[in-house]
């Protein structure tokens, strides 16, 4: 009996306590957590005030920052990327739609995320280009001839390519099914390309790294395109070779090397070897090189499997 | 009962006005009263010490670029210089934004003695769109679709070409109408001046987000790994004679950086100023009249139907499905989710690679350093992933419901079909810029508009070819 009474009392007490705790908890939850404050850094007002007056006030003449173009003459960079190991086998694309067209005879085309030629071990589809140049040779200006970008059997026929800013691109669809071509990045584009038809496109802005191209109707379709202001850009051929001619000599050029499956920062292709160390080749897939006039510098890079992820 | 959050958001001043009134007729035992007391307690005690809300950096992008913490601080400072804080926004001169409008929209919500509403964004928008405009307010997680993250500057429902920004009119329209079928409410009861202030504030948050990403990229490309040089341009060496890396981001002390930062801002602002020249202008004579006879509309809709289901023409059915219930291609994502998914996938890859290397014996010292670095990276990435909301596919609209997020006027549907829906899988069929050839003609697009508007009344005929569960998914 007595015990039961005590329990009752406890119960009453705890009800009050619960109420208080609930109020406190609610207060904490409702009151002080109004905004989902992310973990990201926030401003330091003193520093910001100083920067503001420098940006808004009369600024000093900017000078001396522009990399003066010191060199003269032109040079060539060429070479080959080879895979250090057994060529990986590419599994077929995961076709689960429009099979009659996209997997003719029940056979889907192989994927292209790391295309290595079994005999030469050359790695295809690596992008390589200088990030900036101070001079452009007359022969290396932007391209103006139309570029044909086609799709067939639900596969982009060019998997990796470079265009010039403003260069006309004709997007074709040689399939009996409709596709849409969706280009990511600063030159976004997403348009229906009807069966057997073509649609014009051109990139207005230079990209620092290639933009992906996909089709939302057939989500496995994938290609990569980099628009550049000049034609100092190469994509490795099936044997892994590339060549960029007429580069400005006598200045330090920083090259970007990029591959869709590279495990470096932002898909930069990072390679560690004695030769690449000399070139200060970093985890972003960038290296520095200075060419002499009329020089043809050859780079032969053996890329280990570990430079690619997944 | 008034929603508690409204009070709390407005608490600084307006709460004081209403608390007595409500206390008067409050049942102190009801659970809702507890909530009110809680809010009061919070308002009076708990939060006086709460710091003012702050803009936070986009952690996912900072971690993706491996931007070091000291650079993140510098980026936050430059952004603070150019945009101010949530309580004290700053209209950077080159931004074209109006200071008075920003001031009215920003800060804590209250009414001044003349009855002018202040803190409009926090009063009306923040609980969905978040302080930073990241679409992550306290309510956001529970909504489908999630509220818009303004920071990438991509907007869906507009009258301009797909790659262009929305016009002020476009943003006003979405605020006036809301986005039917989503949580985005209509603010048609707000006076025009308040709507204009809010539009200004949305653009401000978008510009801030775009500028943040540019600064982040600038640090990545030009500063974090660059060789440090002194005033004369000579390399700075450490005590062992090795060149030091990393140039600080501080435009106050570096004229070159000042120019660079202003240049980035000009690039961010230009498309906003150009938007009004990027409006899709349908040819006047081709716009169908409002008072067409029923037969004419039916004939046009029939043409539209053929285009809708033709792979050689509209190809709409490939996503919207053979029955237009939205049950075609359902496994794509919008651009905001794609970025998170890429981040997730890369983290998975890195985790796997760390696990593999953990198994290996006799790693070189360099390899060990790299392994530790990657292990740290994985844990940083996982911290970011913890903040993600569940990823959802971008589901094509069920066109039989007759609910259009971007507006139900014919001209609205015309704009959606002409340019597609930016950020979403939905492609356009009109030209991608002024004077550029499109897939379909304007007349054909108007035919499809007529068909789309008639779809909710069309019987579903023929056998149901879609998977039943898909139908259930999109019609519920």
């Amino acid at each position: 009996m007595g015990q039961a009474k005590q329990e009752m009392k406890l119960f009453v007490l705890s009800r009050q306590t619960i109420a208080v705790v609930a109020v406190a908890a609610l207060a904490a939850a409702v009151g002080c957590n109004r905004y989902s404050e992310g973990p990201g850094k926030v401003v330091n007002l003193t520093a910001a005030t100083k920067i503001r007056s420098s940006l808004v006030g009369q600024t000093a003449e900017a000078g001396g920052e522009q990399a003066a173009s010191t060199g003269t003459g032109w040079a060539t960079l060429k070479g080959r990327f080879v895979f250090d190991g057994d060529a990986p086998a590419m599994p077929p694309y995961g076709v689960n739609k429009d099979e009659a067209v996209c997997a003719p005879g029940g056979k889907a085309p192989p994927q292209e995320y790391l295309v290595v030629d079994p005999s030469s071990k050359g790695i295809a589809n690596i992008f390589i280009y200088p990030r900036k140049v101070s001079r452009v040779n007359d022969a290396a200006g932007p391209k103006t001839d139309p570029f044909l970008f086609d799709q067939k059997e639900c596969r982009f026929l060019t998997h990796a390519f470079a265009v010039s800013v403003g260069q006309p691109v004709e997007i074709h669809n040689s399939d009996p099914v409709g596709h849409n071509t969706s280009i990511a990045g600063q030159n976004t584009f997403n348009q229906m390309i009807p069966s057997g038809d073509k649609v014009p496109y051109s990139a207005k802005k230079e990209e620092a790294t290639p933009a992906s191209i996909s089709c939302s109707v057939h989500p496995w379709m994938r290609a990569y395109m980099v628009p550049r202001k000049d034609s100092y850009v190469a994509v490795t051929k099936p044997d892994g070779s590339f060549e960029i001619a007429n580069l400005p000599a006598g200045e330090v050029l920083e090259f970007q090397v990029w591959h869709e499956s590279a495990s470096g920062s932002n898909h930069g292709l990072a390679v560690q070897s004695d030769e690449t160390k000399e070139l200060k080749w970093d985890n972003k897939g960038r290296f520095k090189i200075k060419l002499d006039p009329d020089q043809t510098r050859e780079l032969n890079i053996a890329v280990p499997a570990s430079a690619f992820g997944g | 009962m008034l929603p508690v959050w409204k009070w709390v958001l407005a608490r600084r001043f307006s709460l004081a006005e209403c608390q007595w009134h409500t206390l008067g007729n409050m049942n102190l035992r009801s659970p809702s009263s507890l909530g009110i007391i809680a809010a009061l307690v919070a308002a009076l005690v708990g939060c006086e010490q709460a710091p003012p809300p702050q803009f936070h950096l986009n952690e996912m992008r900072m971690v993706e670029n491996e931007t070091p913490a000291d650079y993140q601080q510098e980026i936050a400072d430059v952004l603070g210089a150019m945009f101010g804080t949530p309580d004290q926004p700053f209209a950077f001169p080159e931004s074209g934004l109006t200071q008075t409008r920003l001031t009215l929209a920003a800060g804590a919500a209250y009414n001044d003695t003349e009855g002018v509403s202040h803190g409009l964004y926090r009063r009306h928008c923040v609980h969905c769109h978040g302080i930073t405009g990241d679409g992550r307010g306290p309510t956001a997680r529970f909504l489908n679709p999630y509220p818009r993250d303004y920071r990438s500057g991509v907007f869906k429902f507009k009258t301009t070409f797909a790659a262009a920004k929305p016009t002020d009119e476009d943003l006003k329209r979405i605020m006036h109408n809301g986005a039917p079928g989503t949580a985005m409410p209509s603010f048609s009861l707000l006076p025009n001046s308040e709507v204009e202030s809010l539009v200004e504030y949305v653009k401000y948050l978008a510009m801030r987000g775009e500028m943040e990403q540019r600064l982040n990229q600038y640090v990545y490309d030009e500063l974090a790994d660059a060789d440090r040089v002194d005033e004369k341009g000579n390399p700075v060496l450490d005590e062992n004679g090795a060149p030091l890396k990393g140039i600080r981001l501080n435009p106050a002390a570096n004229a070159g950086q000042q120019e660079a930062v202003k240049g980035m801002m000009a690039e961010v602002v230009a498309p906003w100023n150009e938007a009004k020249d990027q409006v899709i202008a349908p040819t006047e004579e081709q716009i169908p009249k409002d008072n067409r006879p029923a037969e004419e509309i039916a004939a046009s809709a029939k043409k539209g139907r053929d285009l809708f289901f033709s792979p050689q023409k509209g190809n709409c059915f490939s996503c919207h499905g053979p029955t237009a219930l939205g049950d075609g291609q359902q496994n794509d994502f919008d651009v905001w989710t794609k970025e998170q998914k890429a981040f997730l996938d890369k983290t998975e890859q890195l985790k796997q690679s760390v696990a593999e290397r953990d198994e290996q014996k006799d790693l070189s010292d360099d390899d060990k350093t790299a392994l530790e670095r990657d292990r740290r990276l994985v844990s940083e990435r996982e911290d970011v992933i913890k903040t993600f909301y569940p990823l959802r596919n971008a589901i094509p609209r069920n066109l039989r419901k007759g609910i259009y997020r971007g507006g139900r006027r014919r001209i609205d549907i015309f704009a959606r079909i002409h340019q597609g829906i930016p950020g979403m899988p939905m492609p356009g069929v009109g030209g991608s810029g002024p004077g550029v050839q499109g897939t379909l003609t304007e007349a054909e697009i108007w035919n499809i508009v007529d068909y789309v508007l008639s779809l909710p009344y069309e019987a579903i005929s023929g056998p149901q070819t879609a998977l039943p569960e898909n139908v259930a998914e999109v019609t519920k």
Side-chain angles (χ1 to χ4, degrees), chain B residues 271-295:
Chain B
W272 284 100
N273 291 337
E274 284 156 15
K276 53 186 179 309
D277 309 321
Q278 292 286 318
V279 175
I280 332 157
T283 319
E284 206 67 51
E285 309 83 67
Q286 303 233 14
I287 302 175
K289 300 276 173 305
D290 284 332
N291 55 357
R292 284 174 300 162
E295 307 82 69

Short mmCIF file of all heavy atoms in Angstrom, two decimals, chain B residues 271-295:
data_model
loop_
_atom_site.label_atom_id
_atom_site.label_comp_id
_atom_site.label_asym_id
_atom_site.label_seq_id
_atom_site.Cartn_x
_atom_site.Cartn_y
_atom_site.Cartn_z
N PRO B 271 25.72 38.29 -66.35
CA PRO B 271 24.55 37.55 -66.84
C PRO B 271 23.23 38.04 -66.22
O PRO B 271 22.19 37.97 -66.87
CB PRO B 271 24.83 36.11 -66.42
CG PRO B 271 26.26 36.04 -66.07
CD PRO B 271 26.72 37.41 -65.72
N TRP B 272 23.30 38.53 -64.99
CA TRP B 272 22.07 39.05 -64.37
C TRP B 272 21.61 40.31 -65.11
O TRP B 272 20.42 40.51 -65.32
CB TRP B 272 22.29 39.36 -62.89
CG TRP B 272 22.33 38.13 -62.04
CD1 TRP B 272 23.44 37.50 -61.56
CD2 TRP B 272 21.21 37.36 -61.57
NE1 TRP B 272 23.09 36.39 -60.83
CE2 TRP B 272 21.72 36.29 -60.82
CE3 TRP B 272 19.83 37.48 -61.72
CZ2 TRP B 272 20.90 35.34 -60.22
CZ3 TRP B 272 19.01 36.53 -61.13
CH2 TRP B 272 19.54 35.47 -60.39
N ASN B 273 22.57 41.14 -65.50
CA ASN B 273 22.20 42.35 -66.23
C ASN B 273 21.74 42.05 -67.65
O ASN B 273 20.96 42.80 -68.23
CB ASN B 273 23.38 43.33 -66.26
CG ASN B 273 23.67 43.88 -64.88
OD1 ASN B 273 22.79 43.89 -64.02
ND2 ASN B 273 24.90 44.31 -64.66
N GLU B 274 22.27 40.93 -68.21
CA GLU B 274 21.93 40.62 -69.60
C GLU B 274 20.60 39.90 -69.71
O GLU B 274 20.06 39.73 -70.81
CB GLU B 274 23.02 39.73 -70.21
CG GLU B 274 24.28 40.49 -70.57
CD GLU B 274 25.50 39.57 -70.61
OE1 GLU B 274 25.34 38.34 -70.65
OE2 GLU B 274 26.63 40.10 -70.58
N ALA B 275 20.05 39.44 -68.58
CA ALA B 275 18.86 38.56 -68.63
C ALA B 275 17.73 39.17 -69.46
O ALA B 275 17.08 38.48 -70.24
CB ALA B 275 18.37 38.25 -67.22
N LYS B 276 17.55 40.50 -69.31
CA LYS B 276 16.39 41.08 -70.01
C LYS B 276 16.53 41.06 -71.52
O LYS B 276 15.54 41.18 -72.24
CB LYS B 276 16.10 42.49 -69.48
CG LYS B 276 17.29 43.42 -69.51
CD LYS B 276 16.91 44.74 -68.82
CE LYS B 276 18.08 45.70 -68.79
NZ LYS B 276 19.35 45.13 -68.28
N ASP B 277 17.76 40.87 -72.02
CA ASP B 277 17.95 40.75 -73.47
C ASP B 277 17.90 39.29 -73.93
O ASP B 277 18.15 38.98 -75.09
CB ASP B 277 19.30 41.35 -73.89
CG ASP B 277 19.48 42.75 -73.36
OD1 ASP B 277 18.48 43.49 -73.35
OD2 ASP B 277 20.61 43.09 -72.93
N GLN B 278 17.66 38.39 -72.99
CA GLN B 278 17.69 36.96 -73.31
C GLN B 278 16.29 36.34 -73.21
O GLN B 278 16.15 35.14 -73.07
CB GLN B 278 18.62 36.24 -72.33
CG GLN B 278 20.09 36.59 -72.50
CD GLN B 278 20.68 35.94 -73.72
OE1 GLN B 278 20.42 34.80 -74.02
NE2 GLN B 278 21.46 36.70 -74.48
N VAL B 279 15.27 37.19 -73.27
CA VAL B 279 13.91 36.67 -73.15
C VAL B 279 13.49 36.02 -74.46
O VAL B 279 13.75 36.56 -75.54
CB VAL B 279 12.94 37.82 -72.78
CG1 VAL B 279 11.50 37.33 -72.76
CG2 VAL B 279 13.32 38.40 -71.43
N ILE B 280 12.89 34.82 -74.37
CA ILE B 280 12.38 34.16 -75.58
C ILE B 280 11.16 34.95 -76.02
O ILE B 280 10.19 35.05 -75.27
CB ILE B 280 11.87 32.74 -75.31
CG1 ILE B 280 12.58 32.09 -74.13
CG2 ILE B 280 11.93 31.87 -76.54
CD1 ILE B 280 11.74 30.97 -73.53
N ALA B 281 11.21 35.48 -77.22
CA ALA B 281 10.07 36.26 -77.70
C ALA B 281 9.32 35.47 -78.76
O ALA B 281 9.79 35.36 -79.89
CB ALA B 281 10.56 37.59 -78.27
N PRO B 282 8.17 34.89 -78.43
CA PRO B 282 7.43 34.16 -79.45
C PRO B 282 6.91 35.13 -80.52
O PRO B 282 6.54 36.26 -80.19
CB PRO B 282 6.27 33.52 -78.68
CG PRO B 282 6.18 34.23 -77.38
CD PRO B 282 7.50 34.89 -77.13
N THR B 283 6.95 34.70 -81.77
CA THR B 283 6.49 35.56 -82.86
C THR B 283 5.01 35.89 -82.65
O THR B 283 4.19 34.99 -82.47
CB THR B 283 6.66 34.84 -84.21
OG1 THR B 283 7.91 34.17 -84.18
CG2 THR B 283 6.64 35.83 -85.36
N GLU B 284 4.72 37.19 -82.70
CA GLU B 284 3.37 37.68 -82.38
C GLU B 284 2.29 36.93 -83.17
O GLU B 284 1.32 36.43 -82.59
CB GLU B 284 3.33 39.18 -82.68
CG GLU B 284 2.29 39.95 -81.86
CD GLU B 284 2.62 39.99 -80.38
OE1 GLU B 284 3.75 40.34 -79.98
OE2 GLU B 284 1.72 39.63 -79.60
N GLU B 285 2.48 36.82 -84.51
CA GLU B 285 1.40 36.24 -85.35
C GLU B 285 1.15 34.77 -85.02
O GLU B 285 0.09 34.24 -85.32
CB GLU B 285 1.74 36.33 -86.85
CG GLU B 285 2.18 37.69 -87.36
CD GLU B 285 3.65 37.94 -87.10
OE1 GLU B 285 4.48 37.25 -87.72
OE2 GLU B 285 3.98 38.81 -86.26
N GLN B 286 2.17 34.12 -84.44
CA GLN B 286 2.02 32.67 -84.22
C GLN B 286 1.32 32.37 -82.90
O GLN B 286 0.90 31.24 -82.67
CB GLN B 286 3.40 32.02 -84.19
CG GLN B 286 4.18 32.27 -85.45
CD GLN B 286 4.68 30.97 -86.05
OE1 GLN B 286 4.23 29.90 -85.67
NE2 GLN B 286 5.59 31.06 -86.98
N ILE B 287 1.23 33.37 -82.02
CA ILE B 287 0.62 33.11 -80.72
C ILE B 287 -0.87 32.84 -80.92
O ILE B 287 -1.57 33.67 -81.48
CB ILE B 287 0.81 34.30 -79.77
CG1 ILE B 287 2.30 34.59 -79.60
CG2 ILE B 287 0.15 34.05 -78.42
CD1 ILE B 287 2.60 35.83 -78.76
N PRO B 288 -1.34 31.67 -80.50
CA PRO B 288 -2.76 31.35 -80.73
C PRO B 288 -3.66 32.32 -79.96
O PRO B 288 -3.32 32.74 -78.86
CB PRO B 288 -2.90 29.94 -80.16
CG PRO B 288 -1.52 29.43 -79.96
CD PRO B 288 -0.63 30.60 -79.80
N LYS B 289 -4.75 32.65 -80.59
CA LYS B 289 -5.71 33.57 -79.95
C LYS B 289 -6.39 32.87 -78.78
O LYS B 289 -6.49 31.65 -78.73
CB LYS B 289 -6.76 34.00 -80.96
CG LYS B 289 -6.21 34.73 -82.17
CD LYS B 289 -6.01 36.20 -81.88
CE LYS B 289 -5.30 36.92 -83.02
NZ LYS B 289 -4.00 36.33 -83.42
N ASP B 290 -6.87 33.69 -77.86
CA ASP B 290 -7.58 33.13 -76.71
C ASP B 290 -8.96 32.60 -77.08
O ASP B 290 -9.47 31.69 -76.47
CB ASP B 290 -7.73 34.20 -75.62
CG ASP B 290 -6.42 34.43 -74.89
OD1 ASP B 290 -5.62 33.47 -74.83
OD2 ASP B 290 -6.19 35.54 -74.40
N ASN B 291 -9.54 33.24 -78.09
CA ASN B 291 -10.94 32.89 -78.41
C ASN B 291 -11.05 31.99 -79.63
O ASN B 291 -11.86 32.21 -80.51
CB ASN B 291 -11.75 34.17 -78.61
CG ASN B 291 -11.10 35.06 -79.67
OD1 ASN B 291 -10.02 34.74 -80.19
ND2 ASN B 291 -11.76 36.16 -80.00
N ARG B 292 -10.19 30.97 -79.70
CA ARG B 292 -10.28 30.06 -80.84
C ARG B 292 -11.48 29.13 -80.68
O ARG B 292 -11.80 28.72 -79.56
CB ARG B 292 -9.01 29.22 -80.94
CG ARG B 292 -7.81 29.97 -81.48
CD ARG B 292 -6.57 29.12 -81.40
NE ARG B 292 -6.27 28.74 -80.02
CZ ARG B 292 -5.47 27.75 -79.68
NH1 ARG B 292 -4.90 27.01 -80.60
NH2 ARG B 292 -5.25 27.48 -78.40
N PRO B 293 -12.10 28.74 -81.81
CA PRO B 293 -13.19 27.77 -81.70
C PRO B 293 -12.65 26.42 -81.21
O PRO B 293 -11.47 26.09 -81.44
CB PRO B 293 -13.73 27.65 -83.12
CG PRO B 293 -12.78 28.37 -84.01
CD PRO B 293 -11.90 29.24 -83.17
N ALA B 294 -13.51 25.66 -80.56
CA ALA B 294 -13.11 24.38 -79.96
C ALA B 294 -12.47 23.45 -80.98
O ALA B 294 -11.50 22.75 -80.67
CB ALA B 294 -14.32 23.72 -79.31
N GLU B 295 -13.00 23.44 -82.22
CA GLU B 295 -12.47 22.52 -83.23
C GLU B 295 -11.02 22.87 -83.55
O GLU B 295 -10.19 21.99 -83.77
CB GLU B 295 -13.27 22.55 -84.55
CG GLU B 295 -14.76 22.34 -84.44
CD GLU B 295 -15.49 23.62 -84.04
OE1 GLU B 295 -15.53 24.55 -84.86
OE2 GLU B 295 -15.98 23.70 -82.91
#
